[in-house]
Amino acid sequence: MAILALKKGISAEIYKYRSTFVFWFVLLAPAFIPAINLIAFLRRGDAIVARGGTAWENLMQFSSGPANFLFPFFVIIVALFVNTIESNSNTWKLIYAQPLSRLNVFCSKMLVYIAMLFCSLMLFGLMTYAVGWLLHLANPDLGFADPFNLWHLLGNCFTIFLATLGFGSIHFYLSQRTKNLILPLGIGVGGIVSFMILVQGWEYARYHPYGYHVLSSGPVGTENFSLWSHMEPVYLSLALAAVVFSIAAIDTQRKRII
């Protein structure tokens, strides 16, 4: 019965977002960086490759840098929209009046939120790979015909996904606790900027939750790439996510709706 109820809750959440901005944002946002890279390589791909490295290495560098910076903002925005629909329409009472437990409602939202992050990163990996082959068709001399392991790219995206769950859980919880959109966004910007500053020399910067996704990613496309070589940030992220999601679930059970 619990599994059936959870399935109904997830179906309701998916149906709710089907025709909203969130749905299209999750699908289209991963295409932003690949689209920019496609234009850049079509216009000056020869000059980019001439600087050194293979075509795939250059494409991965042009993809990973902007993605590592922009993806945290994507996580924050998705977390805000997942929970603020009910807050803005004042429908929490109606939601909790349904024949579903509060824990079921929470788990449904949490799983849909996690699925959104996962799907977006996988789409980003696939679109980046597709850009490489489109460039090969447009300009075979660039070198995109060289062997490239798609599974390394998708595996790296999956690792980054796990490494974002730490601060992602924080913003999921914040979006449930407050109707103020500025507060979670301000905390997120502060976290991102503080990591960028602390990582320049602070020895404990690797414990900063807003940097786990950066520290877990590797140089995809190079000979020395290893998918499992940067796992400490992933473990820290998963541990933080487990703690924060548990606290959020408990708080949801005790929350009073006025």
Side-chain angles (χ1 to χ4, degrees):
M1 291 295 293
I3 296 177
L4 182 60
L6 182 61
K7 182 180 178 181
K8 290 181 178 179
I10 293 174
S11 298
E13 287 294 318
I14 294 175
Y15 181 81
K16 183 192 308 179
Y17 303 123
R18 189 178 60 179
S19 301
T20 64
F21 166 77
V22 181
F23 176 79
W24 291 108
F25 183 65
V26 170
L27 291 181
L28 297 179
F32 176 71
I33 295 175
I36 296 297
N37 286 336
L38 178 61
I39 296 172
F41 275 79
L42 284 174
R43 297 193 60 181
R44 55 189 187 91
D46 293 327
I48 294 173
V49 176
R51 300 182 310 173
T54 67
W56 283 109
E57 288 176 8
N58 280 280
L59 179 59
M60 291 304 109
Q61 290 175 4
F62 272 64
S63 300
S64 61
N68 285 336
F69 176 74
L70 293 176
F71 187 64
F73 293 99
F74 173 85
V75 174
I76 294 168
I77 292 171
V78 172
L80 288 173
F81 278 106
V82 163
N83 288 297
T84 53
I85 290 179
E86 284 82 8
S87 296
N88 292 337
S89 57
N90 292 318
T91 55
W92 279 115
K93 285 185 178 181
L94 178 62
I95 294 295
Y96 289 143
Q98 302 300 312
L100 294 173
S101 68
R102 288 193 174 196
L103 183 60
N104 185 288
V105 173
F106 172 83
C107 290
S108 298
K109 282 185 169 292
M110 180 190 70
L111 291 175
V112 170
Y113 170 63
I114 291 174
M116 287 179 177
L117 302 185
F118 173 78
C119 290
S120 292
L121 272 173
M122 292 299 108
L123 283 172
F124 173 74
L126 291 171
M127 290 177 182
T128 301
Y129 184 73
V131 165
W133 281 105
L134 287 175
L135 291 171
H136 169 64
L137 295 175
N139 188 354
D141 295 332
L142 286 177
F144 283 100
D146 294 341
F148 180 80
N149 195 322
L150 172 61
W151 297 111
H152 281 177
L153 175 58
L154 295 181
N156 193 57
C157 290
F158 181 69
T159 301
I160 295 173
F161 156 71
L162 296 178
T164 61
L165 292 180
F167 75 84
S169 64
I170 294 174
H171 284 276
F172 183 83
Y173 182 37
L174 287 174
S175 66
Q176 283 198 319
R177 290 293 300 167
T178 178
K179 296 181 180 180
N180 188 342
L181 300 180
I182 303 301
L183 178 61
L185 185 60
I187 292 175
V189 172
I192 295 167
V193 173
S194 63
F195 171 75
M196 295 173 62
I197 295 173
L198 294 175
V199 77
Q200 301 299 322
W202 192 43
E203 60 178 323
Y204 298 109
R206 67 181 186 275
Y207 298 113
H208 198 302
Y210 288 85
Y212 292 156
H213 68 291
V214 176
L215 300 176
S216 66
S217 61
V220 181
T222 60
E223 293 182 358
N224 60 345
F225 173 74
S226 175
L227 185 60
W228 312 110
S229 60
H230 305 88
M231 293 304 294
E232 181 186 19
V234 175
Y235 299 144
L236 292 172
S237 174
L238 292 176
L240 177 61
V243 171
V244 176
F245 278 134
S246 297
I247 293 174
I250 294 172
D251 189 52
T252 299
Q253 297 289 88
R254 302 171 58 184
K255 183 179 180 181
R256 293 186 61 188
I257 306 299
I258 301 176

